[in-house]
Amino acid sequence: MGMLDVMYRRCTPPPLPLYAAAAAQMARHTAAYTLESLLDLTSVLAKARMESAALSIMESLSHRAVKNITSLSGEQIADLVESFALLGVEAPELFDAVARRVSAEPQQFSSKELSVLMWSYANMVISKPVMFTAVAEYAVTSQLAFDLADLNKLLWAYASMGIKAPNLYTAAATQAVMHEIEGKADSKSRHLASQLYNLAADLTRTFR
């Protein structure tokens, strides 16, 4: 998480004119800024749904990210893809490069990052069965733990893309039950856990 992202989360209201001005400056001189700086600002612009400002730097960001995909962290890749998905911006080369990286090295990503990535691809309706299968197998064999929000994103992504992953759905159902039984959640969260259990159970039966 970059400095601008921290500022966006902490400031109420966030300084949107400042972000727009920064985007305009970066758009004029993209070569003068690091990939990390472009990514940080784009992430904030996407969360604020500042599409016009973000579009001015996203093409350059995409090209540079593809060239440097192996050097980016799991968090940076998740933030990058999520930004494009939030704004509905197509970037085929970027999504292809990220899918190859995730398929080859799912262990380089946290459960939160994987859920964000799967949600992003599903939101863009980008079919990458090899990646979805690799992530499902890794999540099951490594017994990855997901919080309720991440579990919700993950299940929605696999369900909406019609991915056959019964072992993942069984594991997700178990995690949903545990979230409910442990009693750490409030009533709203317990209700979500119950819904996720029902969804995971239905998916298990459907894709058995």
Side-chain angles (χ1 to χ4, degrees):
M1 186 184 300
M3 241 171 28
L4 286 174
D5 209 358
V6 172
M7 186 187 301
Y8 176 78
R9 292 168 186 268
R10 291 182 178 176
C11 293
T12 306
L16 302 185
L18 172 63
Y19 301 146
Q25 174 69 15
M26 283 190 176
R28 289 192 294 269
H29 308 285
T30 52
Y33 293 90
T34 65
L35 174 58
E36 289 74 16
S37 296
L38 290 172
L39 174 56
D40 188 17
L41 180 58
T42 301
S43 178
V44 168
L45 294 173
K47 289 181 176 68
R49 300 303 194 274
M50 298 176 66
E51 182 177 1
S52 58
L55 287 174
S56 66
I57 59 176
M58 288 180 89
E59 184 176 357
S60 176
L61 171 61
S62 176
H63 291 321
R64 290 172 66 176
V66 169
K67 291 180 180 178
N68 297 277
I69 197 67
T70 58
S71 64
L72 295 176
S73 69
E75 182 180 17
Q76 288 174 323
I77 290 175
D79 286 346
L80 173 66
V81 173
E82 183 184 34
S83 296
F84 279 76
L86 285 172
L87 296 178
V89 177
E90 296 184 357
E93 290 186 2
L94 173 63
F95 280 88
D96 286 348
V98 170
R100 288 193 295 271
R101 168 84 186 270
V102 176
S103 299
E105 302 176 320
Q107 70 277 7
Q108 298 296 320
F109 300 84
S110 69
S111 57
K112 179 174 289 296
E113 291 157 3
L114 289 174
S115 69
V116 168
L117 284 164
M118 298 304 98
W119 175 88
S120 298
Y121 277 80
N123 193 60
M124 294 292 288
V125 197
I126 298 175
S127 178
K128 293 293 180 183
V130 173
M131 178 185 67
F132 274 88
T133 298
V135 169
E137 291 177 350
Y138 172 66
V140 172
T141 57
S142 302
Q143 298 183 329
L144 284 184
F146 294 86
D147 66 22
L148 282 175
D150 294 334
L151 195 60
N152 190 23
K153 285 182 179 178
L154 188 74
L155 285 176
W156 178 85
Y158 276 77
S160 65
M161 296 300 289
I163 304 295
K164 185 176 181 178
N167 290 338
L168 175 65
Y169 302 142
T170 299
T174 300
Q175 288 198 32
V177 169
M178 293 307 298
H179 277 295
E180 191 171 12
I181 290 176
E182 287 174 358
K184 296 178 181 178
D186 55 29
S187 59
K188 183 177 180 181
S189 296
R190 285 195 297 273
H191 179 63
L192 175 58
S194 178
Q195 288 182 316
L196 290 178
Y197 169 78
N198 290 332
L199 173 59
D202 286 343
L203 289 170
T204 302
R205 288 189 291 270
T206 301
F207 294 104
R208 184 172 299 154

mmCIF file with all atom_site columns, all heavy atoms in Angstrom, residues 73-99:
data_model
loop_
_atom_site.group_PDB
_atom_site.id
_atom_site.type_symbol
_atom_site.label_atom_id
_atom_site.label_alt_id
_atom_site.label_comp_id
_atom_site.label_asym_id
_atom_site.label_entity_id
_atom_site.label_seq_id
_atom_site.pdbx_PDB_ins_code
_atom_site.Cartn_x
_atom_site.Cartn_y
_atom_site.Cartn_z
_atom_site.occupancy
_atom_site.B_iso_or_equiv
_atom_site.pdbx_formal_charge
_atom_site.auth_seq_id
_atom_site.auth_comp_id
_atom_site.auth_asym_id
_atom_site.auth_atom_id
_atom_site.pdbx_PDB_model_num
ATOM 1   N N   . SER A 1 73 ? 5.414   -7.148  -6.550  1.00 0.00 ? 73 SER A N   1
ATOM 2   C CA  . SER A 1 73 ? 4.985   -7.976  -5.427  1.00 0.00 ? 73 SER A CA  1
ATOM 3   C C   . SER A 1 73 ? 3.556   -8.445  -5.644  1.00 0.00 ? 73 SER A C   1
ATOM 4   O O   . SER A 1 73 ? 2.831   -7.918  -6.499  1.00 0.00 ? 73 SER A O   1
ATOM 5   C CB  . SER A 1 73 ? 5.064   -7.186  -4.118  1.00 0.00 ? 73 SER A CB  1
ATOM 6   O OG  . SER A 1 73 ? 4.075   -6.158  -4.104  1.00 0.00 ? 73 SER A OG  1
ATOM 7   N N   . GLY A 1 74 ? 3.131   -9.419  -4.842  1.00 0.00 ? 74 GLY A N   1
ATOM 8   C CA  . GLY A 1 74 ? 1.756   -9.892  -4.924  1.00 0.00 ? 74 GLY A CA  1
ATOM 9   C C   . GLY A 1 74 ? 0.757   -8.780  -4.659  1.00 0.00 ? 74 GLY A C   1
ATOM 10  O O   . GLY A 1 74 ? -0.267  -8.673  -5.339  1.00 0.00 ? 74 GLY A O   1
ATOM 11  N N   . GLU A 1 75 ? 1.053   -7.944  -3.686  1.00 0.00 ? 75 GLU A N   1
ATOM 12  C CA  . GLU A 1 75 ? 0.155   -6.837  -3.353  1.00 0.00 ? 75 GLU A CA  1
ATOM 13  C C   . GLU A 1 75 ? 0.066   -5.841  -4.500  1.00 0.00 ? 75 GLU A C   1
ATOM 14  O O   . GLU A 1 75 ? -1.024  -5.355  -4.833  1.00 0.00 ? 75 GLU A O   1
ATOM 15  C CB  . GLU A 1 75 ? 0.636   -6.122  -2.093  1.00 0.00 ? 75 GLU A CB  1
ATOM 16  C CG  . GLU A 1 75 ? -0.271  -4.976  -1.658  1.00 0.00 ? 75 GLU A CG  1
ATOM 17  C CD  . GLU A 1 75 ? 0.215   -4.265  -0.399  1.00 0.00 ? 75 GLU A CD  1
ATOM 18  O OE1 . GLU A 1 75 ? 1.398   -4.437  -0.041  1.00 0.00 ? 75 GLU A OE1 1
ATOM 19  O OE2 . GLU A 1 75 ? -0.593  -3.541  0.192   1.00 0.00 ? 75 GLU A OE2 1
ATOM 20  N N   . GLN A 1 76 ? 1.192   -5.536  -5.125  1.00 0.00 ? 76 GLN A N   1
ATOM 21  C CA  . GLN A 1 76 ? 1.195   -4.589  -6.234  1.00 0.00 ? 76 GLN A CA  1
ATOM 22  C C   . GLN A 1 76 ? 0.389   -5.130  -7.420  1.00 0.00 ? 76 GLN A C   1
ATOM 23  O O   . GLN A 1 76 ? -0.368  -4.393  -8.048  1.00 0.00 ? 76 GLN A O   1
ATOM 24  C CB  . GLN A 1 76 ? 2.631   -4.299  -6.670  1.00 0.00 ? 76 GLN A CB  1
ATOM 25  C CG  . GLN A 1 76 ? 3.402   -3.438  -5.685  1.00 0.00 ? 76 GLN A CG  1
ATOM 26  C CD  . GLN A 1 76 ? 4.858   -3.291  -6.073  1.00 0.00 ? 76 GLN A CD  1
ATOM 27  O OE1 . GLN A 1 76 ? 5.489   -4.225  -6.569  1.00 0.00 ? 76 GLN A OE1 1
ATOM 28  N NE2 . GLN A 1 76 ? 5.408   -2.107  -5.863  1.00 0.00 ? 76 GLN A NE2 1
ATOM 29  N N   . ILE A 1 77 ? 0.547   -6.422  -7.705  1.00 0.00 ? 77 ILE A N   1
ATOM 30  C CA  . ILE A 1 77 ? -0.187  -7.020  -8.821  1.00 0.00 ? 77 ILE A CA  1
ATOM 31  C C   . ILE A 1 77 ? -1.685  -7.033  -8.541  1.00 0.00 ? 77 ILE A C   1
ATOM 32  O O   . ILE A 1 77 ? -2.499  -6.733  -9.418  1.00 0.00 ? 77 ILE A O   1
ATOM 33  C CB  . ILE A 1 77 ? 0.334   -8.446  -9.098  1.00 0.00 ? 77 ILE A CB  1
ATOM 34  C CG1 . ILE A 1 77 ? 1.738   -8.367  -9.691  1.00 0.00 ? 77 ILE A CG1 1
ATOM 35  C CG2 . ILE A 1 77 ? -0.598  -9.207  -10.034 1.00 0.00 ? 77 ILE A CG2 1
ATOM 36  C CD1 . ILE A 1 77 ? 2.408   -9.712  -9.896  1.00 0.00 ? 77 ILE A CD1 1
ATOM 37  N N   . ALA A 1 78 ? -2.061  -7.363  -7.316  1.00 0.00 ? 78 ALA A N   1
ATOM 38  C CA  . ALA A 1 78 ? -3.483  -7.364  -6.958  1.00 0.00 ? 78 ALA A CA  1
ATOM 39  C C   . ALA A 1 78 ? -4.070  -5.958  -7.061  1.00 0.00 ? 78 ALA A C   1
ATOM 40  O O   . ALA A 1 78 ? -5.172  -5.763  -7.602  1.00 0.00 ? 78 ALA A O   1
ATOM 41  C CB  . ALA A 1 78 ? -3.666  -7.920  -5.547  1.00 0.00 ? 78 ALA A CB  1
ATOM 42  N N   . ASP A 1 79 ? -3.356  -4.958  -6.558  1.00 0.00 ? 79 ASP A N   1
ATOM 43  C CA  . ASP A 1 79 ? -3.825  -3.572  -6.642  1.00 0.00 ? 79 ASP A CA  1
ATOM 44  C C   . ASP A 1 79 ? -3.940  -3.119  -8.096  1.00 0.00 ? 79 ASP A C   1
ATOM 45  O O   . ASP A 1 79 ? -4.883  -2.416  -8.475  1.00 0.00 ? 79 ASP A O   1
ATOM 46  C CB  . ASP A 1 79 ? -2.867  -2.639  -5.896  1.00 0.00 ? 79 ASP A CB  1
ATOM 47  C CG  . ASP A 1 79 ? -2.975  -2.742  -4.393  1.00 0.00 ? 79 ASP A CG  1
ATOM 48  O OD1 . ASP A 1 79 ? -3.957  -3.332  -3.908  1.00 0.00 ? 79 ASP A OD1 1
ATOM 49  O OD2 . ASP A 1 79 ? -2.071  -2.231  -3.694  1.00 0.00 ? 79 ASP A OD2 1
ATOM 50  N N   . LEU A 1 80 ? -2.967  -3.527  -8.896  1.00 0.00 ? 80 LEU A N   1
ATOM 51  C CA  . LEU A 1 80 ? -2.933  -3.149  -10.307 1.00 0.00 ? 80 LEU A CA  1
ATOM 52  C C   . LEU A 1 80 ? -4.153  -3.686  -11.055 1.00 0.00 ? 80 LEU A C   1
ATOM 53  O O   . LEU A 1 80 ? -4.891  -2.929  -11.708 1.00 0.00 ? 80 LEU A O   1
ATOM 54  C CB  . LEU A 1 80 ? -1.649  -3.701  -10.936 1.00 0.00 ? 80 LEU A CB  1
ATOM 55  C CG  . LEU A 1 80 ? -1.472  -3.579  -12.443 1.00 0.00 ? 80 LEU A CG  1
ATOM 56  C CD1 . LEU A 1 80 ? -1.345  -2.109  -12.832 1.00 0.00 ? 80 LEU A CD1 1
ATOM 57  C CD2 . LEU A 1 80 ? -0.242  -4.354  -12.893 1.00 0.00 ? 80 LEU A CD2 1
ATOM 58  N N   . VAL A 1 81 ? -4.386  -4.985  -10.950 1.00 0.00 ? 81 VAL A N   1
ATOM 59  C CA  . VAL A 1 81 ? -5.493  -5.608  -11.672 1.00 0.00 ? 81 VAL A CA  1
ATOM 60  C C   . VAL A 1 81 ? -6.835  -5.113  -11.131 1.00 0.00 ? 81 VAL A C   1
ATOM 61  O O   . VAL A 1 81 ? -7.776  -4.878  -11.899 1.00 0.00 ? 81 VAL A O   1
ATOM 62  C CB  . VAL A 1 81 ? -5.390  -7.142  -11.572 1.00 0.00 ? 81 VAL A CB  1
ATOM 63  C CG1 . VAL A 1 81 ? -6.619  -7.812  -12.159 1.00 0.00 ? 81 VAL A CG1 1
ATOM 64  C CG2 . VAL A 1 81 ? -4.143  -7.632  -12.312 1.00 0.00 ? 81 VAL A CG2 1
ATOM 65  N N   . GLU A 1 82 ? -6.925  -4.944  -9.826  1.00 0.00 ? 82 GLU A N   1
ATOM 66  C CA  . GLU A 1 82 ? -8.167  -4.440  -9.234  1.00 0.00 ? 82 GLU A CA  1
ATOM 67  C C   . GLU A 1 82 ? -8.503  -3.052  -9.770  1.00 0.00 ? 82 GLU A C   1
ATOM 68  O O   . GLU A 1 82 ? -9.673  -2.739  -10.026 1.00 0.00 ? 82 GLU A O   1
ATOM 69  C CB  . GLU A 1 82 ? -8.057  -4.396  -7.717  1.00 0.00 ? 82 GLU A CB  1
ATOM 70  C CG  . GLU A 1 82 ? -9.349  -3.948  -7.035  1.00 0.00 ? 82 GLU A CG  1
ATOM 71  C CD  . GLU A 1 82 ? -9.211  -3.808  -5.531  1.00 0.00 ? 82 GLU A CD  1
ATOM 72  O OE1 . GLU A 1 82 ? -8.116  -3.416  -5.052  1.00 0.00 ? 82 GLU A OE1 1
ATOM 73  O OE2 . GLU A 1 82 ? -10.188 -4.096  -4.816  1.00 0.00 ? 82 GLU A OE2 1
ATOM 74  N N   . SER A 1 83 ? -7.494  -2.210  -9.950  1.00 0.00 ? 83 SER A N   1
ATOM 75  C CA  . SER A 1 83 ? -7.731  -0.854  -10.460 1.00 0.00 ? 83 SER A CA  1
ATOM 76  C C   . SER A 1 83 ? -8.358  -0.893  -11.850 1.00 0.00 ? 83 SER A C   1
ATOM 77  O O   . SER A 1 83 ? -9.316  -0.165  -12.137 1.00 0.00 ? 83 SER A O   1
ATOM 78  C CB  . SER A 1 83 ? -6.410  -0.072  -10.509 1.00 0.00 ? 83 SER A CB  1
ATOM 79  O OG  . SER A 1 83 ? -5.881  0.111   -9.212  1.00 0.00 ? 83 SER A OG  1
ATOM 80  N N   . PHE A 1 84 ? -7.819  -1.750  -12.722 1.00 0.00 ? 84 PHE A N   1
ATOM 81  C CA  . PHE A 1 84 ? -8.372  -1.864  -14.068 1.00 0.00 ? 84 PHE A CA  1
ATOM 82  C C   . PHE A 1 84 ? -9.796  -2.433  -14.020 1.00 0.00 ? 84 PHE A C   1
ATOM 83  O O   . PHE A 1 84 ? -10.670 -2.003  -14.783 1.00 0.00 ? 84 PHE A O   1
ATOM 84  C CB  . PHE A 1 84 ? -7.477  -2.743  -14.936 1.00 0.00 ? 84 PHE A CB  1
ATOM 85  C CG  . PHE A 1 84 ? -6.274  -2.003  -15.485 1.00 0.00 ? 84 PHE A CG  1
ATOM 86  C CD1 . PHE A 1 84 ? -5.190  -1.719  -14.677 1.00 0.00 ? 84 PHE A CD1 1
ATOM 87  C CD2 . PHE A 1 84 ? -6.254  -1.591  -16.805 1.00 0.00 ? 84 PHE A CD2 1
ATOM 88  C CE1 . PHE A 1 84 ? -4.090  -1.029  -15.174 1.00 0.00 ? 84 PHE A CE1 1
ATOM 89  C CE2 . PHE A 1 84 ? -5.158  -0.894  -17.316 1.00 0.00 ? 84 PHE A CE2 1
ATOM 90  C CZ  . PHE A 1 84 ? -4.071  -0.602  -16.494 1.00 0.00 ? 84 PHE A CZ  1
ATOM 91  N N   . ALA A 1 85 ? -10.022 -3.381  -13.123 1.00 0.00 ? 85 ALA A N   1
ATOM 92  C CA  . ALA A 1 85 ? -11.350 -3.996  -13.009 1.00 0.00 ? 85 ALA A CA  1
ATOM 93  C C   . ALA A 1 85 ? -12.377 -3.019  -12.449 1.00 0.00 ? 85 ALA A C   1
ATOM 94  O O   . ALA A 1 85 ? -13.526 -2.980  -12.903 1.00 0.00 ? 85 ALA A O   1
ATOM 95  C CB  . ALA A 1 85 ? -11.276 -5.241  -12.129 1.00 0.00 ? 85 ALA A CB  1
ATOM 96  N N   . LEU A 1 86 ? -11.992 -2.237  -11.454 1.00 0.00 ? 86 LEU A N   1
ATOM 97  C CA  . LEU A 1 86 ? -12.923 -1.275  -10.855 1.00 0.00 ? 86 LEU A CA  1
ATOM 98  C C   . LEU A 1 86 ? -13.416 -0.261  -11.881 1.00 0.00 ? 86 LEU A C   1
ATOM 99  O O   . LEU A 1 86 ? -14.575 0.169   -11.831 1.00 0.00 ? 86 LEU A O   1
ATOM 100 C CB  . LEU A 1 86 ? -12.246 -0.547  -9.685  1.00 0.00 ? 86 LEU A CB  1
ATOM 101 C CG  . LEU A 1 86 ? -12.075 -1.336  -8.389  1.00 0.00 ? 86 LEU A CG  1
ATOM 102 C CD1 . LEU A 1 86 ? -11.214 -0.550  -7.405  1.00 0.00 ? 86 LEU A CD1 1
ATOM 103 C CD2 . LEU A 1 86 ? -13.421 -1.667  -7.765  1.00 0.00 ? 86 LEU A CD2 1
ATOM 104 N N   . LEU A 1 87 ? -12.537 0.110   -12.805 1.00 0.00 ? 87 LEU A N   1
ATOM 105 C CA  . LEU A 1 87 ? -12.910 1.101   -13.807 1.00 0.00 ? 87 LEU A CA  1
ATOM 106 C C   . LEU A 1 87 ? -13.333 0.471   -15.130 1.00 0.00 ? 87 LEU A C   1
ATOM 107 O O   . LEU A 1 87 ? -13.712 1.176   -16.066 1.00 0.00 ? 87 LEU A O   1
ATOM 108 C CB  . LEU A 1 87 ? -11.732 2.059   -14.044 1.00 0.00 ? 87 LEU A CB  1
ATOM 109 C CG  . LEU A 1 87 ? -11.332 2.918   -12.840 1.00 0.00 ? 87 LEU A CG  1
ATOM 110 C CD1 . LEU A 1 87 ? -10.127 3.789   -13.176 1.00 0.00 ? 87 LEU A CD1 1
ATOM 111 C CD2 . LEU A 1 87 ? -12.490 3.780   -12.358 1.00 0.00 ? 87 LEU A CD2 1
ATOM 112 N N   . GLY A 1 88 ? -13.275 -0.867  -15.198 1.00 0.00 ? 88 GLY A N   1
ATOM 113 C CA  . GLY A 1 88 ? -13.692 -1.560  -16.407 1.00 0.00 ? 88 GLY A CA  1
ATOM 114 C C   . GLY A 1 88 ? -12.812 -1.282  -17.607 1.00 0.00 ? 88 GLY A C   1
ATOM 115 O O   . GLY A 1 88 ? -13.287 -1.251  -18.748 1.00 0.00 ? 88 GLY A O   1
ATOM 116 N N   . VAL A 1 89 ? -11.530 -1.072  -17.361 1.00 0.00 ? 89 VAL A N   1
ATOM 117 C CA  . VAL A 1 89 ? -10.584 -0.753  -18.437 1.00 0.00 ? 89 VAL A CA  1
ATOM 118 C C   . VAL A 1 89 ? -9.940  -2.029  -18.963 1.00 0.00 ? 89 VAL A C   1
ATOM 119 O O   . VAL A 1 89 ? -9.305  -2.764  -18.199 1.00 0.00 ? 89 VAL A O   1
ATOM 120 C CB  . VAL A 1 89 ? -9.487  0.219   -17.945 1.00 0.00 ? 89 VAL A CB  1
ATOM 121 C CG1 . VAL A 1 89 ? -8.465  0.488   -19.056 1.00 0.00 ? 89 VAL A CG1 1
ATOM 122 C CG2 . VAL A 1 89 ? -10.120 1.522   -17.478 1.00 0.00 ? 89 VAL A CG2 1
ATOM 123 N N   . GLU A 1 90 ? -10.075 -2.283  -20.235 1.00 0.00 ? 90 GLU A N   1
ATOM 124 C CA  . GLU A 1 90 ? -9.499  -3.481  -20.825 1.00 0.00 ? 90 GLU A CA  1
ATOM 125 C C   . GLU A 1 90 ? -8.000  -3.295  -21.082 1.00 0.00 ? 90 GLU A C   1
ATOM 126 O O   . GLU A 1 90 ? -7.572  -2.237  -21.550 1.00 0.00 ? 90 GLU A O   1
ATOM 127 C CB  . GLU A 1 90 ? -10.211 -3.815  -22.141 1.00 0.00 ? 90 GLU A CB  1
ATOM 128 C CG  . GLU A 1 90 ? -11.678 -4.172  -21.946 1.00 0.00 ? 90 GLU A CG  1
ATOM 129 C CD  . GLU A 1 90 ? -12.350 -4.585  -23.247 1.00 0.00 ? 90 GLU A CD  1
ATOM 130 O OE1 . GLU A 1 90 ? -11.670 -4.540  -24.303 1.00 0.00 ? 90 GLU A OE1 1
ATOM 131 O OE2 . GLU A 1 90 ? -13.534 -4.943  -23.207 1.00 0.00 ? 90 GLU A OE2 1
ATOM 132 N N   . ALA A 1 91 ? -7.234  -4.345  -20.778 1.00 0.00 ? 91 ALA A N   1
ATOM 133 C CA  . ALA A 1 91 ? -5.789  -4.329  -20.991 1.00 0.00 ? 91 ALA A CA  1
ATOM 134 C C   . ALA A 1 91 ? -5.353  -5.781  -21.197 1.00 0.00 ? 91 ALA A C   1
ATOM 135 O O   . ALA A 1 91 ? -4.785  -6.400  -20.286 1.00 0.00 ? 91 ALA A O   1
ATOM 136 C CB  . ALA A 1 91 ? -5.076  -3.697  -19.802 1.00 0.00 ? 91 ALA A CB  1
ATOM 137 N N   . PRO A 1 92 ? -5.636  -6.347  -22.367 1.00 0.00 ? 92 PRO A N   1
ATOM 138 C CA  . PRO A 1 92 ? -5.401  -7.776  -22.624 1.00 0.00 ? 92 PRO A CA  1
ATOM 139 C C   . PRO A 1 92 ? -3.988  -8.251  -22.308 1.00 0.00 ? 92 PRO A C   1
ATOM 140 O O   . PRO A 1 92 ? -3.816  -9.309  -21.696 1.00 0.00 ? 92 PRO A O   1
ATOM 141 C CB  . PRO A 1 92 ? -5.713  -7.916  -24.118 1.00 0.00 ? 92 PRO A CB  1
ATOM 142 C CG  . PRO A 1 92 ? -6.669  -6.806  -24.409 1.00 0.00 ? 92 PRO A CG  1
ATOM 143 C CD  . PRO A 1 92 ? -6.232  -5.677  -23.543 1.00 0.00 ? 92 PRO A CD  1
ATOM 144 N N   . GLU A 1 93 ? -2.988  -7.493  -22.720 1.00 0.00 ? 93 GLU A N   1
ATOM 145 C CA  . GLU A 1 93 ? -1.601  -7.915  -22.474 1.00 0.00 ? 93 GLU A CA  1
ATOM 146 C C   . GLU A 1 93 ? -1.306  -7.975  -20.976 1.00 0.00 ? 93 GLU A C   1
ATOM 147 O O   . GLU A 1 93 ? -0.613  -8.881  -20.513 1.00 0.00 ? 93 GLU A O   1
ATOM 148 C CB  . GLU A 1 93 ? -0.628  -6.969  -23.171 1.00 0.00 ? 93 GLU A CB  1
ATOM 149 C CG  . GLU A 1 93 ? -0.638  -7.077  -24.690 1.00 0.00 ? 93 GLU A CG  1
ATOM 150 C CD  . GLU A 1 93 ? 0.449   -6.230  -25.335 1.00 0.00 ? 93 GLU A CD  1
ATOM 151 O OE1 . GLU A 1 93 ? 1.226   -5.590  -24.585 1.00 0.00 ? 93 GLU A OE1 1
ATOM 152 O OE2 . GLU A 1 93 ? 0.517   -6.194  -26.572 1.00 0.00 ? 93 GLU A OE2 1
ATOM 153 N N   . LEU A 1 94 ? -1.814  -7.012  -20.244 1.00 0.00 ? 94 LEU A N   1
ATOM 154 C CA  . LEU A 1 94 ? -1.597  -6.985  -18.796 1.00 0.00 ? 94 LEU A CA  1
ATOM 155 C C   . LEU A 1 94 ? -2.272  -8.172  -18.132 1.00 0.00 ? 94 LEU A C   1
ATOM 156 O O   . LEU A 1 94 ? -1.657  -8.886  -17.334 1.00 0.00 ? 94 LEU A O   1
ATOM 157 C CB  . LEU A 1 94 ? -2.144  -5.682  -18.208 1.00 0.00 ? 94 LEU A CB  1
ATOM 158 C CG  . LEU A 1 94 ? -2.133  -5.596  -16.679 1.00 0.00 ? 94 LEU A CG  1
ATOM 159 C CD1 . LEU A 1 94 ? -0.705  -5.647  -16.153 1.00 0.00 ? 94 LEU A CD1 1
ATOM 160 C CD2 . LEU A 1 94 ? -2.845  -4.329  -16.213 1.00 0.00 ? 94 LEU A CD2 1
ATOM 161 N N   . PHE A 1 95 ? -3.536  -8.414  -18.456 1.00 0.00 ? 95 PHE A N   1
ATOM 162 C CA  . PHE A 1 95 ? -4.257  -9.516  -17.827 1.00 0.00 ? 95 PHE A CA  1
ATOM 163 C C   . PHE A 1 95 ? -3.659  -10.868 -18.218 1.00 0.00 ? 95 PHE A C   1
ATOM 164 O O   . PHE A 1 95 ? -3.662  -11.802 -17.415 1.00 0.00 ? 95 PHE A O   1
ATOM 165 C CB  . PHE A 1 95 ? -5.749  -9.444  -18.184 1.00 0.00 ? 95 PHE A CB  1
ATOM 166 C CG  . PHE A 1 95 ? -6.521  -8.455  -17.352 1.00 0.00 ? 95 PHE A CG  1
ATOM 167 C CD1 . PHE A 1 95 ? -6.623  -7.123  -17.727 1.00 0.00 ? 95 PHE A CD1 1
ATOM 168 C CD2 . PHE A 1 95 ? -7.120  -8.852  -16.162 1.00 0.00 ? 95 PHE A CD2 1
ATOM 169 C CE1 . PHE A 1 95 ? -7.317  -6.212  -16.952 1.00 0.00 ? 95 PHE A CE1 1
ATOM 170 C CE2 . PHE A 1 95 ? -7.827  -7.945  -15.370 1.00 0.00 ? 95 PHE A CE2 1
ATOM 171 C CZ  . PHE A 1 95 ? -7.926  -6.616  -15.768 1.00 0.00 ? 95 PHE A CZ  1
ATOM 172 N N   . ASP A 1 96 ? -3.126  -10.972 -19.430 1.00 0.00 ? 96 ASP A N   1
ATOM 173 C CA  . ASP A 1 96 ? -2.449  -12.208 -19.836 1.00 0.00 ? 96 ASP A CA  1
ATOM 174 C C   . ASP A 1 96 ? -1.176  -12.419 -19.030 1.00 0.00 ? 96 ASP A C   1
ATOM 175 O O   . ASP A 1 96 ? -0.898  -13.529 -18.559 1.00 0.00 ? 96 ASP A O   1
ATOM 176 C CB  . ASP A 1 96 ? -2.095  -12.157 -21.330 1.00 0.00 ? 96 ASP A CB  1
ATOM 177 C CG  . ASP A 1 96 ? -3.308  -12.332 -22.228 1.00 0.00 ? 96 ASP A CG  1
ATOM 178 O OD1 . ASP A 1 96 ? -4.382  -12.716 -21.718 1.00 0.00 ? 96 ASP A OD1 1
ATOM 179 O OD2 . ASP A 1 96 ? -3.177  -12.078 -23.446 1.00 0.00 ? 96 ASP A OD2 1
ATOM 180 N N   . ALA A 1 97 ? -0.398  -11.355 -18.871 1.00 0.00 ? 97 ALA A N   1
ATOM 181 C CA  . ALA A 1 97 ? 0.871   -11.454 -18.140 1.00 0.00 ? 97 ALA A CA  1
ATOM 182 C C   . ALA A 1 97 ? 0.637   -11.810 -16.672 1.00 0.00 ? 97 ALA A C   1
ATOM 183 O O   . ALA A 1 97 ? 1.355   -12.635 -16.093 1.00 0.00 ? 97 ALA A O   1
ATOM 184 C CB  . ALA A 1 97 ? 1.644   -10.140 -18.255 1.00 0.00 ? 97 ALA A CB  1
ATOM 185 N N   . VAL A 1 98 ? -0.358  -11.171 -16.081 1.00 0.00 ? 98 VAL A N   1
ATOM 186 C CA  . VAL A 1 98 ? -0.663  -11.456 -14.670 1.00 0.00 ? 98 VAL A CA  1
ATOM 187 C C   . VAL A 1 98 ? -1.157  -12.889 -14.519 1.00 0.00 ? 98 VAL A C   1
ATOM 188 O O   . VAL A 1 98 ? -0.760  -13.598 -13.574 1.00 0.00 ? 98 VAL A O   1
ATOM 189 C CB  . VAL A 1 98 ? -1.711  -10.459 -14.135 1.00 0.00 ? 98 VAL A CB  1
ATOM 190 C CG1 . VAL A 1 98 ? -2.219  -10.899 -12.759 1.00 0.00 ? 98 VAL A CG1 1
ATOM 191 C CG2 . VAL A 1 98 ? -1.118  -9.060  -14.053 1.00 0.00 ? 98 VAL A CG2 1
ATOM 192 N N   . ALA A 1 99 ? -1.997  -13.345 -15.423 1.00 0.00 ? 99 ALA A N   1
ATOM 193 C CA  . ALA A 1 99 ? -2.509  -14.712 -15.346 1.00 0.00 ? 99 ALA A CA  1
ATOM 194 C C   . ALA A 1 99 ? -1.374  -15.726 -15.414 1.00 0.00 ? 99 ALA A C   1
ATOM 195 O O   . ALA A 1 99 ? -1.385  -16.725 -14.689 1.00 0.00 ? 99 ALA A O   1
ATOM 196 C CB  . ALA A 1 99 ? -3.511  -14.957 -16.477 1.00 0.00 ? 99 ALA A CB  1
#
